[in-house]
Amino acid sequence: MLFEKVKKLTEKRDGRPGTMSLYLQDASQKQLRKWSLSLLAKRNPENLLEIGLGTGASLQAMLKQWPASHAIAIDHASQPVTMAARSNADAIKQGRCIVMEGEACHLPFPDDTFDLIIAFDSISSWRDLNNSVQDIYSELVKGGCFAIINADDKGPGFDESSLRPLLYDAGFSRVKAYRHEADPWLLLVAEKER
């Protein structure tokens, strides 16, 4: 009973319990972040978009990995936006990063803007996955890619067998799956034709 009460408190996205939840989530995903970004390391995006922020640790890791990149990061909740802006304050001051509220299904950017769009363990919280994926496809430059990183099996609709056809239906020409050898981690990389 106590566990359930604490779990409910930490699942909130705003306020103090939500902050604790985001820090716990980011700490538990440190190795997932390292693994997935190592698989994306050869890509050298000029402009990248992260959808779903947590505390901003993934954004910080990407900016470190790709020091010449510029990033925009969005989340639908204000608490992660505030936390990510705080943890990436130097990059924001340097003009390398913008952190803002926004939703995957209503991206406010021109088509053909990003080389890389990353959803780090966030797609299960998106309101409209189909429209989001179509919007993401439009936002990518030719040859750009959309990386979906999942920490575990999110269940029907969010597993590889559900996501692969959704990505092809949106127009992606190639989808490659990577699975961690010991953990239930999944990285799907969908590429827009050149």
Side-chain angles (χ1 to χ4, degrees), residues 30-43 48 57-66 116 118 120 147 149 187:
K30 185 176 182 179
Q31 293 304 315
L32 169 64
R33 187 168 34 256
K34 187 176 177 181
W35 171 78
S36 58
L37 290 180
S38 73
L39 293 169
L40 296 168
K42 290 183 181 178
R43 299 186 182 275
L48 68 93
S58 297
L59 177 61
Q60 197 169 44
M62 288 184 282
L63 289 168
K64 183 178 179 182
Q65 179 162 309
W66 298 301
L116 176 61
I118 293 183
F120 196 92
I149 302 157
L187 167 62

Side-chain angles (χ1 to χ4, degrees), residues 47-51 53 59 70-74 96-100 109 113-114:
N47 296 303
L48 68 93
L49 172 66
E50 182 184 17
I51 304 172
L53 295 173
L59 177 61
H70 290 85
I72 297 176
I74 65 169
R96 291 190 58 215
C97 178
I98 296 169
V99 178
M100 58 190 272
F109 312 108
T113 299
F114 300 101

Side-chain angles (χ1 to χ4, degrees), residues 122-187:
S122 67
I123 63 166
S124 61
S125 67
W126 294 0
R127 278 193 310 153
D128 186 341
L129 187 58
N130 289 340
N131 283 334
S132 298
V133 170
Q134 290 171 1
D135 205 10
I136 286 166
Y137 179 83
S138 298
E139 308 284 325
L140 285 168
V141 298
K142 290 182 179 178
C145 78
F146 173 38
I148 299 171
I149 302 157
N150 282 342
D152 54 26
D153 183 5
K154 302 293 182 198
F158 303 106
D159 56 357
E160 180 184 353
S161 63
S162 300
L163 292 171
R164 189 176 283 275
L166 179 70
L167 293 164
Y168 282 123
D169 287 348
F172 289 97
S173 59
R174 185 176 146 197
V175 179
K176 183 161 182 163
Y178 300 88
R179 294 191 173 281
H180 191 267
E181 57 196 41
D183 293 296
W185 302 341
L186 171 66
L187 167 62

